[in-house]
Amino acid sequence: MALFKKKEKKKGNRKVTVPENLWIKCDNCREIIYRREVERNLKVCPKCNYHFRITVDERISSLIDEGTFEEFDADLESVDILGFVDTKKYTDRLAEAKRKSKRNEAVVTGRGKINGMDVVIAVFDFAFLGGSMGCVVGEKVTRAIEEATRREVPLIIVSASGGARMQEGTLSLMQMAKTSAAMKRFHDAGLPYISILTDPTTGGVAASFAMQGDVIISEPGALIGFAGPRVIEQTIMQKLPEGFQRAEFLLEKGMVDMIVPRTEMKETVSKLLGYMYRGEKKRASGKNG
Amino acid sequence: MVGQYLEFERPIVELENRLEELRRRSEVEEGDFSKEIEKLEKKIETIKREVYGNLNRWQITQLARHPDRPYTLDYVKMIFSDFIEIHGDRLFRDDPSIVAGFGEIEGRKVVLVGQQKGRTTKDKLYRNFGMPHPEGYRKALRAMKLAEKFSLPVLTFVDTPGAYPGIGAEERGQAEAIARNIMEMAGLKTPIVVAIIGEGGSGGALALGVGDRILMMEYAIYSVISPEGCASILWKDAGKGETAAEIMKISARDLEKFGIVDVVVEEPEGGAHRNPEAAAENLKREILSALDELEGMKIEEIVNKRYEKYRKIGEFKGGGK
């Protein structure tokens, strides 16, 4: 849990960092690829199908019908409850993350439509302190779940997180319980939740709502697990096999339902919801009659 | 002083050894030692109050992990008049790092679930140092569902460094098992009393830790990550656990202030291992009082209040709430 610091370091060589250039090199296959083509392809390498990490805005526009997204609770801001200082002050880390992302926190929540169907969606921003969950992330996710329950609409959460946020101590841990309690009510209301796991989803986020989906979808190659690979390697004192904790491994072990490339994600989610959700009115009449 | 002692207890131990020496001499030698003995006893009292009255969070962490500290089954022995253990998750295997079963306290029947650490080397390995695999959490949930079915309250004892971070645990869905327990406990239609008796290690603790009343032993800890884990991430130095324990504020008193813990259960001077019976007596009293409070309530009300309890945990600004 709370492994975002480690992950943060990795981020640098994963991002598409050369937007001015016409050509970029894929981080995975090392092929030189045409930047426009990669972008048209939702930042998936056309040669090897490698999924680059994408921004929250790119994620939302890849899933939600154009012009239909309305954000919830954008004004919620974290406070430094513990007076946490390590090599930097927590408040400075927050300020820096806010400045870079131009958002207040590591998750963006809101409502919108998927092929015309109303949904509530939450999207994690791994670039914001490793997508870690503190009180604000927990609160925003909980409010989004409650809003979906109230509106009787499907819920989509796109996770990318190192886990609970160390800088808010045990209060961060409790966000796992808070979100899960809301999720229990959502499920009890008979509503569908599709959990989309992206690279990476570990720790307290994996061990709460990310694994509570009716259907769990992963992007190809995403790292998914409870403990981070380094922690496991230190514990068992041996190197982990190639591909351990990757999406394909989890599919084989029965922990996710399917691996879906980003380019097909919206259509897959839309189709699934077609089976799982019949709309507010019909559901209500079903209940009464 | 008996058993193993911690570094910060050294001044006490030295004085106690001197006292013992003095007492031995007073038995075999001529002369009146009583004044000297009395003086030393007073001095020991003073220094004990000083040391144990001002424990920092790192010292508390050491007490929480003390090798002589009572574990789940020790408390069961001291608190329960009857206990029938059940085994297995019906899916993979029985995980000995979690014990579960039916038990009786003062005529009250409950389902108990708790992490179990080992005392001897062999036992430690058998219990996997109190670090459960997914099948342990699944056994725990099975027991809690039995409690719900038969309208018995659930009592959990939390004492784990964390969920086990290993290959098999990941393969069998550690994250899923924890996520499921947390969600199911949030909605379980029977009262849940949680007691953090030693180490509350992160998600692996919370997977037995969602409930209506959260009790915590005075010298237990409960944290989002171990102090050493936190230190090795922040300063790349696991040796800075002391600093990490301080800044993360992981003691029972801290968590009571944050509204995460409802009742801090007092421990005997120097920790539960100094007088396990007294610790068990205190714990038992608080368990019974929590069960009493919940007994009079309708189950819908209990589950709703449980929701509200977790709903309001968290501090932030903005959002009009």
Side-chain angles (χ1 to χ4, degrees):
Chain A
M1 202 169 288
L3 297 168
F4 56 86
K5 273 268 318 203
K6 283 184 203 166
K7 301 281 162 53
E8 222 173 23
K9 256 174 65 184
K10 257 165 101 184
K11 171 196 73 181
N13 55 35
R14 290 224 165 193
K15 233 166 70 182
V16 181
T17 48
V18 278
E20 305 85 10
N21 297 350
L22 224 50
W23 300 89
I24 58 170
K25 196 177 184 181
C26 173
D27 291 337
N28 184 51
C29 67
R30 303 271 143 213
E31 286 275 341
I32 304 296
I33 42 183
Y34 188 43
R35 184 173 63 87
R36 278 263 191 69
E37 195 183 346
V38 178
E39 276 168 9
R40 261 202 309 272
N41 206 29
L42 298 171
K43 290 199 179 161
V44 175
C45 173
K47 303 270 194 267
C48 73
N49 199 33
Y50 174 72
H51 284 54
F52 291 89
R53 285 187 186 156
I54 57 173
T55 66
V56 170
D57 291 323
E58 285 167 330
R59 179 70 64 185
I60 290 170
S61 66
S62 79
L63 289 170
I64 299 294
D65 300 348
E66 209 184 325
T68 65
F69 182 72
E70 278 174 49
E71 191 173 347
F72 301 151
D73 305 309
D75 61 329
L76 255 54
E77 286 181 82
S78 291
V79 291
D80 182 17
I81 311 143
L82 304 180
F84 201 100
V85 182
D86 49 88
T87 50
K88 267 189 204 166
K89 281 186 190 164
Y90 177 40
T91 47
D92 290 348
R93 287 188 192 278
L94 276 172
E96 197 188 327
K98 281 184 195 175
R99 188 174 49 77
K100 278 191 185 156
S101 71
K102 299 188 180 63
R103 295 192 194 264
N104 278 335
E105 258 300 338
V107 72
V108 172
T109 58
R111 64 191 181 108
K113 289 181 192 291
I114 293 184
N115 292 341
M117 183 186 280
D118 284 317
V119 299
V120 165
I121 185 167
V123 176
F124 274 76
D125 180 6
F126 190 74
F128 194 111
L129 298 181
S132 60
M133 174 160 65
C135 293
V136 169
V137 169
E139 180 69 19
K140 285 177 83 170
V141 169
T142 304
R143 287 188 188 189
I145 298 168
E146 286 176 337
E147 192 60 21
T149 314
R150 206 157 26 236
R151 289 177 184 275
E152 301 191 8
V153 298
L155 172 71
I156 319 284
I157 300 180
V158 185
S159 296
S161 172
R165 187 175 294 173
M166 269 184 312
Q167 287 89 339
E168 293 182 27
T170 315
L171 285 166
S172 297
L173 186 69
M174 291 302 124
Q175 304 309 310
M176 294 166 69
K178 183 161 97 181
T179 52
S180 297
M183 193 64 84
K184 174 71 178 152
R185 288 190 166 183
F186 178 83
H187 280 303
D188 286 349
L191 295 161
Y193 162 38
I194 295 180
S195 174
I196 301 174
L197 312 179
T198 68
D199 188 51
T201 299
T202 60
V205 165
S208 58
F209 49 84
M211 280 292 166
Q212 290 162 353
D214 291 299
V215 171
I216 303 177
I217 306 176
S218 177
E219 278 198 339
L223 180 83
I224 301 155
F226 175 65
R230 208 184 310 179
V231 174
I232 300 172
E233 283 183 343
Q234 280 166 4
T235 307
I236 62 173
M237 288 182 284
Q238 63 189 59
K239 275 215 79 67
L240 290 168
E242 181 75 23
F244 183 72
Q245 291 184 310
R246 294 287 165 189
E248 296 71 17
F249 172 89
L250 270 89
L251 181 69
E252 187 194 313
K253 297 296 171 190
M255 291 302 147
V256 298
D257 287 288
M258 60 194 86
I259 295 171
V260 175
R262 191 174 293 156
T263 44
E264 294 164 27
M265 193 63 85
K266 182 173 180 176
E267 286 317 306
T268 307
V269 169
S270 176
K271 259 195 200 166
L272 279 168
L273 290 179
Y275 286 98
M276 298 158 78
Y277 183 67
R278 282 173 204 87
E280 178 187 342
K281 276 182 193 142
K282 274 185 193 161
R283 266 179 21 85
S285 68
K287 236 190 266 171
N288 296 335
Chain B
M1 195 173 261
V2 286
Q4 311 181 51
Y5 64 90
L6 302 164
E7 189 50 41
F8 66 86
E9 296 175 304
R10 186 183 293 276
I12 302 170
V13 175
E14 278 169 3
L15 288 179
E16 281 185 334
N17 287 344
R18 235 160 72 200
L19 180 67
E20 214 172 295
E21 171 70 24
L22 215 54
R23 283 193 175 129
R24 244 201 334 268
R25 275 175 57 195
S26 74
E27 276 166 28
V28 293
E29 288 177 30
E30 293 284 315
D32 185 14
F33 290 88
S34 63
K35 262 213 179 114
E36 233 175 303
I37 286 176
E38 199 183 319
K39 216 173 109 192
L40 202 52
E41 280 173 341
K42 271 211 182 114
K43 199 171 172 192
I44 289 170
E45 280 315 304
T46 315
I47 195 161
K48 268 188 173 173
R49 257 202 309 277
E50 235 166 68
V51 170
Y52 293 130
N54 298 292
L55 292 170
N56 66 33
R57 296 178 181 93
W58 182 242
Q59 291 166 336
I60 291 173
T61 302
Q62 291 167 278
L63 288 176
R65 297 168 175 170
H66 198 285
D68 296 331
R69 192 170 175 84
Y71 298 148
T72 291
L73 287 175
D74 300 314
Y75 281 120
V76 166
K77 235 180 245 162
M78 294 184 283
I79 293 175
F80 284 58
S81 56
D82 185 40
F83 181 64
I84 305 174
E85 192 175 347
I86 62 170
H87 292 275
D89 65 343
R90 300 294 187 272
L91 296 163
F92 186 69
R93 64 155 198 157
D94 185 47
D95 183 350
S97 62
I98 287 186
V99 294
F102 300 98
E104 207 171 317
I105 317 174
E106 295 289 326
R108 247 166 293 199
K109 293 183 169 69
V110 302
V111 165
L112 173 100
V113 180
Q115 284 110 351
Q116 178 66 36
K117 292 179 176 176
R119 197 75 65 189
T120 62
T121 305
K122 198 178 148 203
D123 202 28
K124 277 179 184 154
L125 289 171
Y126 175 65
R127 301 292 183 182
N128 199 34
F129 303 88
M131 294 188 282
H133 280 74
E135 48 271 24
Y137 292 116
R138 290 176 183 135
K139 169 170 70 176
L141 183 59
R142 190 172 77 81
M144 293 190 266
K145 287 286 179 185
L146 285 177
E148 183 180 55
K149 179 174 177 183
F150 301 112
S151 301
L152 297 167
V154 171
L155 172 62
T156 72
F157 286 161
V158 174
D159 190 13
T160 180
Y164 187 64
I167 289 183
E170 291 291 324
E171 282 179 340
R172 298 193 289 280
Q174 190 71 286
E176 192 277 343
I178 294 170
R180 182 178 299 274
N181 276 25
I182 296 170
M183 187 167 79
E184 291 300 326
M185 288 182 89
L188 200 76
K189 292 187 180 64
T190 197
I192 306 173
V193 176
V194 174
I196 298 135
I197 58 168
E199 280 184 279
S202 193
L206 188 63
L208 301 186
V210 180
D212 305 301
R213 293 288 182 282
I214 314 298
L215 320 178
M216 185 162 170
M217 298 300 290
E218 192 177 1
Y219 303 134
I221 55 167
Y222 196 7
S223 63
V224 64
I225 182 170
S226 73
E228 293 88 343
C230 174
S232 75
I233 292 172
L234 293 181
W235 298 285
K236 314 273 170 250
D237 179 4
K240 290 204 167 144
E242 180 160 5
T243 319
E246 281 304 313
I247 54 173
M248 288 201 296
K249 302 196 172 62
I250 58 178
S251 76
R253 300 284 175 205
D254 292 326
L255 299 174
E256 189 185 29
K257 276 185 211 131
F258 292 135
I260 292 169
V261 164
D262 300 307
V263 180
V264 178
V265 183
E266 264 188 51
E267 291 191 33
E269 187 177 60
H273 61 286
R274 300 258 170 245
N275 189 347
E277 286 77 18
E281 199 50 50
N282 292 350
L283 180 59
K284 181 179 178 176
R285 197 176 49 245
E286 296 299 345
I287 289 168
L288 288 173
S289 124
L291 288 174
D292 276 348
E293 280 175 50
L294 295 165
E295 207 174 33
M297 289 162 64
K298 281 215 173 71
I299 191 58
E300 292 74 23
E301 190 190 350
I302 290 174
V303 176
N304 282 337
K305 285 210 163 143
R306 190 185 305 152
Y307 189 87
E308 292 310 320
K309 175 186 176 64
Y310 286 95
R311 185 64 191 84
K312 60 176 197 251
I313 297 182
E315 286 178 39
F316 49 85
K317 55 184 180 191
K321 221 180 182 179

